[in-house]
Amino acid sequence: MQSPASSSSSIPDSALTREELYERIRKSSKQEVVLEEMQRLGFWPQDAARPTVEEQLIRREGELQTALTKLGDELRGIEDRDRALKTMRKERMARARERREETRQRLAQGRHARAVAWHERRQRELLYVGDGVSGGLNDAHSDSQALARNALPALDHAGDLAQAMGIGLGELRFLAWHREVSSVSHYQRFTMPKKSGGERHISAPMPRLKRAQYWVLDNILAKMPVHEAAHGFLPGRSILTNAAPHVGRDVVINLDLKDFFPSIGMRRVRGVFRQLGYSSQVASLLALVCTEAPTDEVQLDGNRYFVARGERVLPQGAPTSPMLTNLLCRRLDARLAASAAKLGFRYTRYADDLTFSAGPEHSRDTARLLWRVKQIVASEGLTVHPDKQQVMRKHRQQHVTGIVVNDKLSVDRDTLRRFRAVLHQAERSGPQGLQWNGNSDVIGALRGYANFIAMTDAARGEPYLQRVRALAAKHEGSRASTTTTSTPSPRKLAEGEFRKQSAAGKAPWPEWWQPAQAPAPVLEKTAEQTAEEKKAQREAARPQPARTGLAQATARAPAPAQPAAGETTQQTAKQALVALSQIGWIASMMLQALYVVSVFLSGSSPLIWLLTGGVAIGNFVQRKSGWLRFIVAIFISSALASLVHSMKN
């Protein structure tokens, strides 16, 4: 075995101090040191394949001497009780620290493994989307046969849905997340006046959510068949097809469903997607995308918050809401159509407007029909509006969804007369200050009603369309000429292009925002790593020793950092305060010295000038003003002087 002193055998004795040489001998033996030096100097062979007996004896003697020294140290430690206890305590604490560090690292590795697994799972799945709406997310098995029968996209879990929509899983989580209080809203809310009076609350989705809803509408909802009595928001059907079956009837009945969209909650919407064949996970996410909770906007500490005040329902303004109502009302339409047919009535529905009509032979059953309709509507979880029930006989004007159906499809005469008056006034005086049905954009409103007339009667509506186009070209063209031309926005898309791109699972514009990915978990550092980092920080903060040579210092020294403007101001203020304090101290010392000298020259009692002079000297040594001590000394010395004077007298 090589002795501890062998590492320093290459160092010549002349380069070692006496204490170092003695320490080297104590660690091995004198003979071993002499042998190493003889081998180093070439007086003893050291490259021999087989060592000599003398060399082996010397090496063995050195090993024994080293072991004996170690045993002596241990024996001295045992004999010294306090030293032994101290050594044992240090060893015990060292072992305890090692065990604690091992336990901490084992627990940290377990936490890190669980965090990594959770992080990886979050990248693949949606496990939680809010309180009260996360039930069923564990079910990710869709009915592939049911989806195939309706030619619907096969989606089993959230990853499939996000991929089909062309968005990331993080964006889908952002759109579907439900919070009772949030600082972000996916809807823009406003009100519109109703023709019948009151206001209609509209919740228009933001582009990000609207993109997802367009995908759901065109790829899922639009592929499902609806009842033939439904005419709202369907291709090939309109208010004309809704009103046509009721032309020339003896009695026409109009009913309105109260709070139609707010009456349909998220559970019913999720049930629609479940009936289509989708898993509970996908159905829940689709229902969350298509619904919202009634929300109040509040201001708190300068921040805006959106507070939910109820369960999630269908928003009026989302592109998916009308088609979802058509699917939800399939059973309602079937029951109402069957009940109406038994009584000889015809039935159609446009959104929340229910219309029934009958000939003269069945018009006497109107009361029975109304009773049955209300019972059926109530059993479906809806309510007939009590103030919007109309029973129109043949002798009065009959209208269905704004179209007169007495003899043929036509527009209301009074409304047409008001339309002509507003159009004539706009042509004469301009559209400024005019309104049409509560809409301040009178040109756009007139254009919409002219299209309505043309849709009802093309020959009658074409002249009005031409007049509205001429009015728009005159006033809107002049307005456009006065505005400053600007560069078109890259987000300005052609009509229908946004929906087309969204339905295809593509971003409407290139710079589509994506949520930031959560960073991967990091394993906790060990105590040794922490200590090494702290040591490196201390080494970096330690000032470097000055280098010799002006050129070397100039070449290697970094350029001095320029202080900031705020730091310069603070330094200047500190210097000014220091200067003022120095001036104040000098003035104080001069005044105190002047007082002591004046008292001395006035011949007053020595107690006064001795005590005040001592205090002044102390203030000068301590470099303090010390006015309080000086004033106290004046009073005390004056009192003592008065006492001494009275005692003498």
Side-chain angles (χ1 to χ4, degrees), residues 70-308:
K70 184 177 180 181
L71 291 175
D73 295 338
E74 294 177 359
L75 182 61
R76 285 190 295 271
I78 295 173
E79 292 176 349
D80 190 352
R81 181 174 177 274
D82 295 336
R83 182 180 177 185
L85 292 176
K86 186 177 181 179
T87 303
M88 292 172 62
R89 183 175 178 274
K90 290 176 63 177
E91 293 176 354
R92 187 171 62 253
M93 292 182 66
R95 290 193 299 268
R97 283 194 298 269
E98 292 177 358
R99 288 194 299 269
R100 286 198 302 269
E101 180 65 21
E102 291 177 358
T103 303
R104 190 182 72 84
Q105 283 298 308
R106 185 176 65 256
L107 297 177
Q109 290 176 358
R111 290 193 299 269
H112 180 259
R114 292 191 297 270
V116 169
W118 177 255
H119 177 75
E120 293 177 353
R121 193 175 179 186
R122 276 177 56 89
Q123 303 301 317
R124 307 188 305 268
E125 307 176 36
L126 290 184
L127 306 173
Y128 182 77
V129 289
D131 294 338
V133 297
S134 300
L137 293 181
N138 293 326
D139 180 14
H141 299 285
S142 300
D143 189 350
S144 58
Q145 295 180 358
L147 298 176
R149 283 196 303 268
N150 297 315
L152 298 178
L155 308 172
D156 290 326
H157 50 81
D160 296 338
L161 179 60
Q163 185 178 4
M165 288 183 175
I167 61 177
L169 195 62
E171 184 174 354
L172 180 59
R173 181 186 291 108
F174 172 70
L175 297 176
W177 196 275
H178 172 74
R179 290 185 177 90
E180 297 296 332
V181 180
S182 177
S183 59
V184 178
S185 177
H186 295 300
Y187 291 88
Q188 185 178 6
R189 299 170 180 86
F190 56 92
T191 58
M192 292 181 60
K194 295 182 179 179
K195 294 181 180 179
S196 59
E199 292 182 341
R200 189 184 307 275
H201 297 274
I202 304 297
S203 298
M206 295 296 187
R208 190 167 304 282
L209 180 61
K210 195 173 185 179
R211 174 191 174 185
Q213 291 177 348
Y214 271 142
W215 186 93
V216 177
L217 174 62
D218 292 342
N219 291 277
I220 298 178
L221 301 179
K223 296 181 179 181
M224 298 303 301
V226 298
H227 196 271
E228 60 183 5
H231 292 266
F233 311 98
L234 294 170
R237 304 185 191 182
S238 63
I239 57 177
L240 292 178
T241 61
N242 181 66
H246 308 288
V247 175
R249 306 289 282 178
D250 188 71
V251 61
V252 177
I253 305 171
N254 285 334
L255 301 176
D256 185 87
L257 298 178
K258 184 179 180 181
D259 298 331
F260 185 46
F261 287 100
S263 301
I264 300 175
M266 177 187 164
R267 293 184 178 180
R268 298 183 67 178
V269 177
R270 180 168 53 190
V272 171
F273 292 109
R274 289 285 292 157
Q275 290 179 358
L276 298 181
Y278 286 109
S279 64
S280 180
Q281 182 179 139
V282 174
S284 299
L285 296 175
L286 291 174
L288 287 169
V289 169
C290 298
T291 59
E292 70 145 350
T295 304
D296 293 330
E297 183 177 341
V298 298
Q299 295 283 341
L300 183 62
D301 296 335
N303 298 320
R304 183 175 62 171
Y305 297 96
F306 302 91
V307 182

Side-chain angles (χ1 to χ4, degrees), residues 17 201 558 636:
T17 63
H201 297 274
I636 293 174

Side-chain angles (χ1 to χ4, degrees), residues 252-380:
V252 177
I253 305 171
N254 285 334
L255 301 176
D256 185 87
L257 298 178
K258 184 179 180 181
D259 298 331
F260 185 46
F261 287 100
S263 301
I264 300 175
M266 177 187 164
R267 293 184 178 180
R268 298 183 67 178
V269 177
R270 180 168 53 190
V272 171
F273 292 109
R274 289 285 292 157
Q275 290 179 358
L276 298 181
Y278 286 109
S279 64
S280 180
Q281 182 179 139
V282 174
S284 299
L285 296 175
L286 291 174
L288 287 169
V289 169
C290 298
T291 59
E292 70 145 350
T295 304
D296 293 330
E297 183 177 341
V298 298
Q299 295 283 341
L300 183 62
D301 296 335
N303 298 320
R304 183 175 62 171
Y305 297 96
F306 302 91
V307 182
R309 51 178 174 86
E311 297 182 354
R312 300 178 69 93
V313 296
L314 284 181
Q316 190 167 357
T320 52
S321 297
M323 194 59 192
L324 279 170
T325 58
N326 288 333
L327 296 178
L328 282 164
C329 292
R330 284 186 297 183
R331 188 173 66 176
L332 172 67
D333 292 335
R335 295 178 64 185
L336 291 178
S339 181
K342 288 182 180 180
L343 297 176
F345 283 78
R346 297 176 183 175
Y347 163 70
T348 61
R349 181 181 60 83
Y350 190 90
D352 57 349
D353 295 325
L354 311 180
T355 304
F356 302 87
S357 66
E361 65 274 13
H362 300 288
S363 60
R364 61 181 181 276
D365 294 328
T366 300
R368 294 177 58 190
L369 175 71
L370 290 175
W371 184 85
R372 290 186 181 183
V373 167
K374 292 178 181 179
Q375 295 296 319
I376 294 173
V377 170
S379 66
E380 294 292 332

